[in-house]
Amino acid sequence: MLMVPPEILKVAREFLGLSQEQVEKHAGISRATIHRVERGVRDLPQYALLVQHFYEESGIEFVAPAGGRGWGVFNHNTAGKKRELNSINRPAKTVAKPKTPSEKKKPKNQGKRATPRSAATGD
């Protein structure tokens, strides 16, 4: 079994929608250790393998590098479910037209009423 890089372990946790505290509770590994494993502390290979095994048991498949490509992560919990990951079809946001110099100089109504109080209330 190849050891998965720390960044990929973090991605796997996020794919599962788990916090470090939740992994601590379910895997029996302290949150501090999970944090150190995700940061890549080298003296914890046995804990990195435990975290990796927990993610695999939870439905994550780690795809080892091949053909010049890096690591991959497949979440079997979402297999077969149609999910829109990237919303490319959203309408483009309209960008506000820049103000001309004459428009910039006009003072805005800074919290003052457009109509004097006495005219508005009839006083």
Side-chain angles (χ1 to χ4, degrees):
M1 174 192 304
L2 288 175
M3 282 189 60
V4 176
E7 303 83 16
I8 301 301
L9 289 173
K10 182 176 180 179
V11 167
R13 177 177 56 78
E14 291 171 347
F15 271 10
L16 290 169
L18 297 174
S19 67
Q20 290 177 343
E21 290 79 13
Q22 290 169 317
V23 174
E24 174 184 38
K25 178 180 176 184
H26 296 289
I29 303 166
S30 76
R31 192 203 62 76
T33 300
I34 295 164
H35 178 72
R36 289 178 20 216
V37 164
E38 288 181 356
R39 279 191 4 239
V41 174
R42 300 237 183 256
D43 62 345
L44 299 171
Q46 71 277 16
Y47 290 105
L49 286 171
L50 284 173
V51 170
Q52 179 178 337
H53 182 70
F54 171 73
Y55 294 154
E56 289 170 340
E57 291 294 316
S58 299
I60 293 293
E61 179 183 348
F62 296 103
V63 182
R69 295 182 180 209
W71 281 91
V73 179
F74 184 78
N75 187 348
H76 285 280
N77 299 309
T78 59
K81 295 180 183 176
K82 185 177 179 182
R83 296 183 70 186
E84 190 172 319
L85 298 178
N86 295 319
S87 298
I88 298 174
N89 297 329
R90 288 188 204 168
K93 292 182 180 180
T94 56
V95 178
K97 187 174 83 176
K99 294 184 180 183
T100 61
S102 62
E103 290 176 322
K104 290 181 182 177
K105 292 180 182 178
K106 291 180 184 178
K108 291 185 177 182
N109 187 359
Q110 298 175 354
K112 296 181 182 177
R113 292 180 178 221
T115 310
R117 183 176 288 251
S118 59
T121 60
D123 292 334

